[in-house]
Amino acid sequence: MLPFLYKIAQQFYTQYGNELYRYTFVLPNRRAGLFLQKYIAEIAGRPLFSPAMLTIQELFASLSSYQLADRIEMLVMLYNHYRKISGSGESFDDFLFWGDMLLNDFDDADKCLVDAKQLFRNVHDFRSLDDDLTHLTEDQIAAIRRFWTHFMPVEGSEAKQKFQETWKILYELYTAFRNELHEKGRAYEGMMFREVAEKARDKEERTWRTRSYIFVGLNALTPAEVMLLKHLGNLGMADFYWDYDSPPVRDPQNKASFRMAENLARFPSKFTLQAGDVQYEKTVVELIGVPSAVGQAKQVTRILSRLIESGAIPDPGEAIHTAIVLPDENLLLPVLYSIPQEIGKINVTMGYGLSHSSVASLVEHIALLQQNLRTRNGETAYYHRHVKALLNHPLVKMAADGEAESLKEHILAFNRIVVPQSEIPDHPLLSLIFTPIAQWQEIGDYLHQIFSHLYQSLTMVKRKDQSSDVTDAEMHDGEPEEMRAVDLEQEFIVQYYKTVTRLQDRLSGAGNMTVETWFGLLKKLARSISVSFSGEPLSGLQVMGVLETRSIDFENLIILSMNEGVFPMKNASGSFIPHTLRKGFGLPTHEHQDGTYAYHFYRMIGRAKRVYMLYDTRTEDVQSGEVSRYFYQLKYLYNPQFEISERVVAYDVAAPESAPVTVTKTAGIMRKLDGFLAGNEKFLSASLINNYIDCPLKFYFTAVEGLSEETEVQESVEADVFGSIFHRLMEIIYNRYKNRTVTPDVLTGIASDEVYLTEILEQAFARYYFRDEENPRPLEGQHYLIGEILRSYVKQTLQADQQFTPFQYIGSEYRFHAAYPVRDGLTVNFKGSIDRIDRVGETIRIVDYKTGSGPTDFKEISRLFDASKSNRPYQILQVFVYGLFYLMENPGTRVSPAVYYLRSVFRDFDPSICHDKHPIGDISIYMEEFSEMFRSLLKDIFDPEVPFSQTQNQKNCEWCAFKDLCNR
Ligand code: SF4
């Protein structure tokens, strides 16, 4: 198989030898030019002056009198004209989307040499269609008729009316915009193309009389290109070579052949290229379905290894005849990381969207931070979620890990919903990022400084790695993977730096703009920028996008994303010009796009020996899981020329039956449990006992291993904080009456003292919510509302307490620490805190407050320990434990337990705990039975033979923090 460009090189070197430098080759892309140069050098076998290589765009630019204008600059210019002509007050932000679309439409119109006046004509009246159309073709007239018939009358359709209003000004806008560009000596690509084509049409040949051009491997020519090529052909200055060798490309039924006949007839070749040295062999085509996007990259590893093993890649260090083609650039990084070690050099000739880089995500977080600045006590403050997103960003962690971590801890410790400027740690990067921006003009410098700092930090990381971690083997194999990743990051940062500079320069004349608009523009600009990778020129495995394959041939092709909608790409209708008009005026439509894509595909595989096509089989989200139509065409239309096989890589995605998680009490775990034995430092509590009953494994996680849920900044008052504030309020209120008698009047007096209640509410919020006890502050917004709910709960509790008056308040938060004998040789530490203790007559009331609702009645003691049933009355077990220990410390006391459920306290509520509907006036009569079960449970906990197993009652797992660990 001789590559197309090799045959060109052979033909022209044979023909012109040393004189070849007098010619200029015009190719579809730069890569093709490099390959052609390489082949010429190989054939010559000695140094010679190389001919010039240009892309078709470069040729037009070289013949034009204009300089290519910057896109952002053009958008600003177009916007200013639009506002002047339309009188619209539309913001730049809103204009951006369709301003961009208009630029593309103007570009298309000029490349297709369309009469813009006729295209953008304003048809107020159907009869005006008959005027002034004489110079248009029948097709164009029909298109205009069809389009405007559909659009009139406009009454009743707001969308059509709006369209017509904009359409009305398009020609004026187009003209004014072009005039300004012309005056500045600048142009968009289409404008350059039109200028050069018109010069060619007017036979202004003097500017390009000096050279001979050889056009190689082009296909979809625009009318402007056709005009120039014709003109150069007529002057005898041009020769043309088309790559239409592949049989499917020559099939008139195949869309790939869309332009062939016309091009060959219009632009014939002077020489006949040598036929390939071998007849076309059957190309091996393997279609591989993979149920994941990144999984395709993993398959690349296997395919390359197979090619190396089989000798299809004879020298893995120099795999230049093998290409990986990526129709979806998102797969570039996964693919790069999947290339086997044996492949020495990799040459990436495609862009990787700047917007996919990690510096892009950092800038997005910075934008959010700056767009949501707040002021707290006269100081700039940042919303905690934006701050945390930045602190967790890999680039910030890389440069300021210690300070970022301590700031995160500080935010949590003080529950900072907004983080004041003064609390940002003193670190150069954090100081740079957390500098408030007031005007868009400041953003450029601000970002530049951040980028410079990050770049330097990455350089230091590299130096450190080079001096320490790199093994001999890694050095031998070239750059280690981590270093490649650092290089990539640095490249992205440099590109972002340049992009910011460009944006700042272009916008220097722009008027008012918000910080938000500026960041929006940057994002948009970044989306349009691809970082091109430049490896060793022409050596190693080639990784490229579809367009980069034009004119180049490979023996082994691995094409990823062979999904319908990706390759060929789905039609994107980014045009203001309706399809009928596009068609009528000969502007590119999706039919053209289909033909162009088909040509790229069939030409690319035309000389390959092996083609591996990978596709994503998934059907979720935007994925259709559908194989590209090209494969089906190969299979059903061109089968005799290919040896086709198909397979789907199956991953076992069925979730394995997860084995139950059980923790055996090893010697180590028993040692940890010993910590709870009398005389040691750890204590059991009523809530840990409830944990054990609900799930022994959960007890193990919390009590033995000390695991807990991750703490979060609480933006709203969560249930636990709500409960703590309520407890505190009741404690403050009753502490004034310690060991005194509480009468109905006392309770009524407290409940009606609003000023006092407000004051203690602020104190309790400062302690438990703002975590700043020294500085109580007035409650605002949602805190005020929650404060009012608490106020009403307090009043209702005081109301409920009326039924026990007169009573003596003994204390709140009564704490006990006790050694509890379980059996011989086993005494355990226990501690607890009883919310409140009163004396009513001869009875001691043990009171517990609960924020929710729950039972106050139970049937049997055993129900308190039975986790198999839902709604186990764990609240009652808790007050029984309190009763047990209170009695241990105060034997002979008559104890009555009570639980105040705040959700129930509004109704006619009696908080007394009842056994089978009878209020318990003396808990001691239940203690024998309770203690027996309690001891048995404690024996289990400390029994080395009883493992910590998962609960059988999966309802208990519903809100458990360890669900993920347990696969529940
Ligand atoms: S998820 Fe279920 S089984 Fe696992 S610890 Fe929590 S409650 Fe126990």
Side-chain angles (χ1 to χ4, degrees):
M1 181 275 301
L2 281 183
F4 171 66
L5 292 177
Y6 189 91
K7 290 195 278 183
I8 297 280
Q10 205 172 38
Q11 178 63 46
F12 280 87
Y13 181 72
T14 314
Q15 199 70 37
Y16 300 111
N18 284 346
E19 296 300 301
L20 202 49
Y21 74 91
R22 296 183 187 282
Y23 292 82
T24 297
F25 286 88
V26 183
L27 298 115
N29 58 39
R30 285 197 183 152
R31 200 76 191 151
L34 284 173
F35 267 83
L36 182 56
Q37 251 163 351
K38 168 184 146 79
Y39 292 141
I40 292 173
E42 269 175 29
I43 294 164
R46 61 189 169 82
L48 81 169
F49 286 112
S50 181
M53 304 281 165
L54 290 180
T55 65
I56 185 89
Q57 287 83 5
E58 286 166 346
L59 172 66
F60 271 88
S62 70
L63 299 175
S64 168
S65 59
Y66 296 122
Q67 291 290 313
L68 193 62
D70 180 90
R71 197 158 181 93
I72 293 286
E73 181 189 10
M74 287 195 288
L75 280 168
V76 174
M77 210 185 272
L78 190 62
Y79 172 64
N80 289 337
H81 283 295
Y82 168 73
R83 286 221 312 186
K84 214 185 292 164
I85 295 169
S86 69
S88 151
E90 190 166 341
S91 73
F92 187 49
D93 250 4
D94 292 339
F95 173 79
L96 266 181
F97 169 72
W98 68 275
D100 212 36
M101 202 155 83
L102 277 184
L103 273 185
N104 290 341
D105 284 344
F106 292 170
D107 192 64
D108 276 352
D110 282 353
K111 280 181 178 163
C112 294
L113 307 177
V114 166
D115 181 342
K117 192 171 184 182
Q118 289 302 337
L119 174 66
F120 298 127
R121 64 184 281 127
N122 178 25
V123 184
H124 295 292
D125 180 342
F126 194 61
R127 279 164 301 174
S128 70
L129 282 175
D130 296 330
D131 309 335
D132 195 26
L133 294 177
T134 42
H135 64 289
L136 295 180
T137 64
E138 282 303 310
D139 279 353
Q140 287 171 338
I141 296 171
I144 295 175
R145 264 183 207 287
R146 258 199 318 278
F147 173 64
W148 287 110
T149 307
H150 174 65
F151 258 83
M152 286 186 301
V154 292
E155 295 84 40
S157 166
E158 207 185 313
K160 284 181 187 179
Q161 211 150 356
K162 268 196 133 167
F163 175 87
Q164 222 183 20
E165 269 167 28
T166 310
W167 189 263
K168 245 194 270 181
I169 63 161
L170 281 192
Y171 181 64
E172 200 181 339
L173 186 59
Y174 168 84
T175 315
F177 173 58
R178 281 176 50 98
N179 285 346
E180 186 178 348
L181 280 172
H182 174 74
E183 277 162 25
K184 293 185 166 160
R186 292 177 187 273
Y188 46 89
E189 205 173 80
M191 192 170 152
M192 282 179 165
F193 273 44
R194 193 194 277 269
E195 184 216 7
V196 173
E198 283 173 354
K199 274 194 217 167
R201 183 196 59 200
D202 300 341
K203 307 209 169 14
E204 289 179 28
E205 61 218 52
R206 57 191 178 282
T207 44
W208 49 71
R209 262 235 169 262
T210 52
R211 290 195 78 87
S212 281
Y213 297 95
I214 300 152
F215 292 89
V216 174
L218 304 177
N219 178 50
L221 300 176
T222 61
E225 287 164 334
V226 169
M227 190 163 280
L228 175 65
L229 265 61
K230 261 190 189 168
H231 179 63
L232 293 174
N234 290 341
L235 292 174
M237 292 168 57
D239 194 359
F240 311 94
Y241 294 87
W242 310 96
D243 189 2
Y244 293 132
D245 281 2
S246 163
V249 172
R250 288 205 303 271
D251 175 4
Q253 302 302 317
N254 189 338
K255 284 188 175 169
S257 68
F258 191 49
R259 314 286 190 137
M260 185 180 73
E262 201 179 29
N263 284 338
L264 288 175
R266 267 183 186 160
F267 305 110
S269 314
K270 208 157 148 188
F271 305 111
T272 306
L273 298 181
Q274 186 198 322
D277 54 350
V278 285
Q279 282 299 310
Y280 282 106
E281 299 162 18
K282 266 195 172 191
T283 306
V284 174
V285 173
E286 187 174 344
L287 178 80
I288 306 166
V290 186
S292 130
V294 179
Q296 296 179 58
K298 296 270 166 269
Q299 285 302 310
V300 168
T301 319
R302 293 193 191 149
I303 295 169
L304 286 172
S305 302
R306 258 166 51 199
L307 289 172
I308 294 169
E309 272 166 36
S310 67
I313 297 182
D315 176 7
E318 202 44 74
I320 196 166
H321 300 300
T322 302
I324 300 174
V325 181
L326 300 174
D328 174 5
E329 67 173 39
N330 287 317
L331 292 185
L332 175 61
L333 291 190
V335 162
L336 287 184
Y337 291 126
S338 302
I339 293 175
Q341 287 289 319
E342 305 94 289
I343 300 284
K345 291 177 196 152
I346 306 167
N347 198 308
V348 185
T349 44
M350 65 181 286
Y352 183 69
L354 195 51
S355 55
H356 303 308
S357 63
S358 66
V359 64
S361 71
L362 180 75
V363 172
E364 277 193 37
H365 290 313
I366 289 177
L368 281 173
L369 182 90
Q370 294 292 353
Q371 286 158 28
N372 292 283
L373 294 182
R374 297 162 192 215
T375 309
R376 177 61 43 96
N377 302 328
E379 187 183 9
T380 303
Y382 307 94
Y383 182 49
H384 76 100
R385 286 194 194 282
H386 300 144
V387 176
K388 275 203 310 206
L390 277 163
L391 299 178
N392 285 329
H393 193 280
L395 285 172
V396 175
K397 281 173 99 124
M398 175 274 302
D401 195 26
E403 287 78 0
E405 277 307 311
S406 70
L407 180 53
K408 275 197 290 185
E409 282 163 20
H410 174 84
I411 291 170
L412 273 182
F414 293 93
N415 204 44
R416 288 285 186 257
I417 297 169
V418 291
V419 185
Q421 179 78 42
S422 53
E423 292 179 6
I424 303 294
D426 194 14
H427 180 279
L429 180 65
L430 299 186
S431 307
L432 286 173
I433 293 176
F434 293 97
T435 300
I437 295 294
Q439 292 184 333
W440 68 264
Q441 288 89 342
E442 299 164 24
I443 308 174
D445 283 347
Y446 165 77
L447 287 179
H448 278 155
Q449 288 186 42
I450 293 172
F451 294 154
S452 300
H453 189 93
L454 288 172
Y455 191 91
Q456 283 163 17
S457 302
L458 285 166
T459 308
M460 275 155 67
V461 168
K462 240 172 34 177
R463 276 198 202 129
K464 239 193 256 165
D465 283 356
Q466 275 164 347
S467 60
S468 60
D469 292 343
V470 185
T471 63
D472 283 354
E474 281 171 333
M475 289 303 274
H476 184 74
D477 290 341
E479 258 190 323
E481 214 168 74
E482 296 76 30
M483 278 213 258
R484 248 188 244 164
V486 171
D487 285 343
L488 277 180
E489 285 301 350
Q490 285 192 312
E491 181 62 29
F492 289 137
I493 289 172
V494 169
Q495 289 303 327
Y496 234 105
Y497 190 102
K498 287 184 187 164
T499 309
V500 168
T501 311
R502 236 178 95 197
L503 185 62
Q504 204 74 353
D505 286 354
R506 299 299 172 256
L507 292 177
S508 53
N512 278 344
M513 191 190 308
T514 61
V515 169
E516 201 170 341
T517 304
W518 196 96
F519 275 112
L521 275 171
L522 178 64
K523 190 171 171 183
K524 190 171 172 48
L525 195 57
R527 234 185 268 142
S528 68
I529 291 174
S530 282
V531 177
S532 18
F533 292 85
S534 44
E536 289 272 321
L538 289 188
S539 61
L541 175 78
Q542 305 287 305
V543 180
M544 44 195 9
V546 173
L547 292 183
E548 284 77 17
T549 63
R550 285 177 293 177
S551 293
I552 311 175
D553 296 303
F554 297 97
E555 285 185 10
N556 307 308
L557 274 172
I558 304 169
I559 314 172
L560 281 80
S561 309
M562 283 300 293
N563 281 86
E564 194 61 23
V566 186
F567 193 30
M569 202 203 283
K570 210 163 128 197
N571 296 309
S573 62
S575 172
F576 203 74
I577 307 168
H579 181 256
T580 30
L581 284 185
R582 283 195 151 264
K583 209 168 154 89
F585 280 84
L587 292 167
T589 59
H590 54 83
E591 288 92 347
H592 290 78
Q593 190 183 310
D594 276 359
T596 308
Y597 265 91
Y599 173 74
H600 292 327
F601 174 74
Y602 284 105
R603 196 219 61 78
M604 180 200 320
I605 65 163
R607 294 184 185 83
K609 286 187 179 162
R610 298 162 205 91
V611 180
Y612 300 90
M613 299 181 185
L614 300 162
Y615 74 102
D616 190 341
T617 56
R618 290 172 308 161
T619 49
E620 65 250 26
D621 302 330
V622 285
Q623 283 291 337
S624 70
E626 208 182 316
V627 183
S628 165
R629 70 187 78 160
Y630 299 145
F631 174 75
Y632 290 119
Q633 290 168 0
L634 291 184
K635 187 173 168 183
Y636 297 111
L637 301 176
Y638 305 115
N639 198 310
Q641 296 149 45
F642 299 93
E643 199 181 303
I644 296 174
S645 64
E646 294 171 61
R647 70 186 166 96
V648 171
V649 178
Y651 289 140
D652 186 9
V653 287
E657 192 63 29
S658 48
V661 183
T662 301
V663 176
T664 313
K665 287 176 187 153
T666 58
I669 290 177
M670 286 309 291
R671 265 198 302 281
K672 285 185 183 172
L673 276 171
D674 283 351
F676 292 100
L677 300 185
N680 291 339
E681 72 289 359
K682 292 209 254 178
F683 288 82
L684 291 175
S685 66
S687 63
L688 285 179
I689 293 299
N690 268 327
N691 258 354
Y692 186 82
I693 299 170
D694 285 341
C695 175
L697 186 65
K698 187 170 169 184
F699 172 87
Y700 166 73
F701 287 144
T702 51
V704 184
E705 296 300 342
L707 301 181
S708 59
E709 289 180 56
E710 206 185 337
T711 328
E712 276 278 342
V713 168
Q714 294 182 344
E715 286 191 51
S716 57
V717 182
E718 302 289 336
D720 55 338
V721 176
F722 186 92
S724 301
I725 295 176
F726 179 81
H727 281 71
R728 180 71 183 152
L729 291 171
M730 295 311 295
E731 186 183 358
I732 299 175
I733 287 171
Y734 275 120
N735 269 352
R736 296 196 302 181
Y737 300 93
K738 199 158 187 168
N739 297 323
R740 284 163 54 192
T741 301
V742 177
T743 61
D745 288 352
V746 167
L747 297 177
T748 315
I750 300 168
S752 57
D753 190 347
E754 302 291 355
V755 176
Y756 171 67
L757 291 178
T758 304
E759 190 186 311
I760 62 173
L761 265 167
E762 289 171 7
Q763 285 173 19
F765 260 82
R767 179 172 178 151
Y768 287 106
Y769 182 69
F770 297 116
R771 299 176 198 166
D772 186 9
E773 199 172 359
E774 303 307 310
N775 296 302
R777 61 186 89 157
L779 303 181
E780 290 167 358
Q782 56 154 318
H783 303 141
Y784 173 80
L785 293 176
I786 291 166
E788 290 309 295
I789 295 170
L790 281 158
R791 185 194 298 266
S792 68
Y793 280 167
V794 167
K795 286 182 178 177
Q796 288 303 321
T797 306
L798 296 174
Q799 179 65 35
D801 279 345
Q802 292 271 6
Q803 60 190 297
F804 304 105
T805 53
F807 63 86
Q808 193 187 7
Y809 170 74
I810 293 177
S812 288
E813 306 300 327
Y814 173 91
R815 292 177 205 285
F816 61 85
H817 287 76
Y820 185 73
V822 182
R823 58 165 162 76
D824 281 352
L826 179 63
T827 303
V828 295
N829 284 333
F830 244 94
K831 71 172 180 186
S833 171
I834 301 170
D835 285 347
R836 181 177 130 198
I837 296 178
D838 301 334
R839 181 191 297 279
V840 185
E842 291 308 307
T843 306
I844 291 293
R845 283 178 78 230
I846 288 181
V847 171
D848 197 49
Y849 300 120
K850 294 270 177 247
T851 44
S853 54
T856 48
D857 186 67
F858 68 98
K859 287 232 168 340
E860 290 149 15
I861 292 285
S862 59
R863 278 284 289 121
L864 306 183
F865 293 88
D866 183 2
S868 64
K869 309 247 173 24
S870 308
N871 304 327
R872 179 179 68 86
Y874 65 91
Q875 306 92 334
I876 298 179
L877 180 127
Q878 187 171 346
V879 278
F880 263 72
V881 171
Y882 292 167
L884 175 75
F885 284 95
Y886 190 83
L887 282 174
M888 268 178 70
E889 288 188 358
N890 306 278
T893 320
R894 204 180 140 91
V895 172
S896 169
V899 180
Y900 284 65
Y901 293 107
L902 296 189
R903 290 241 185 103
S904 315
V905 82
F906 287 96
R907 279 172 258 131
D908 209 1
F909 180 69
D910 182 352
S912 308
I913 298 300
C914 301
H915 174 227
D916 209 8
K917 309 268 185 304
H918 300 294
I920 298 177
D922 183 359
I923 204 171
S924 63
I925 57 175
Y926 299 91
M927 274 304 141
E928 194 181 331
E929 190 183 356
F930 180 79
S931 306
E932 197 180 314
M933 293 186 187
F934 189 60
R935 283 205 170 92
S936 151
L937 181 134
L938 289 168
K939 280 183 202 157
D940 276 359
I941 294 179
F942 290 90
D943 186 343
E945 301 305 318
V946 180
F948 292 116
S949 50
Q950 287 176 299
T951 177
Q952 299 298 314
N953 184 355
Q954 296 225 11
K955 250 193 129 15
N956 291 339
C957 305
E958 237 168 70
W959 302 105
C960 180
F962 307 109
K963 263 166 89 158
D964 289 346
L965 278 176
C966 288
N967 277 332
R968 282 280 172 96

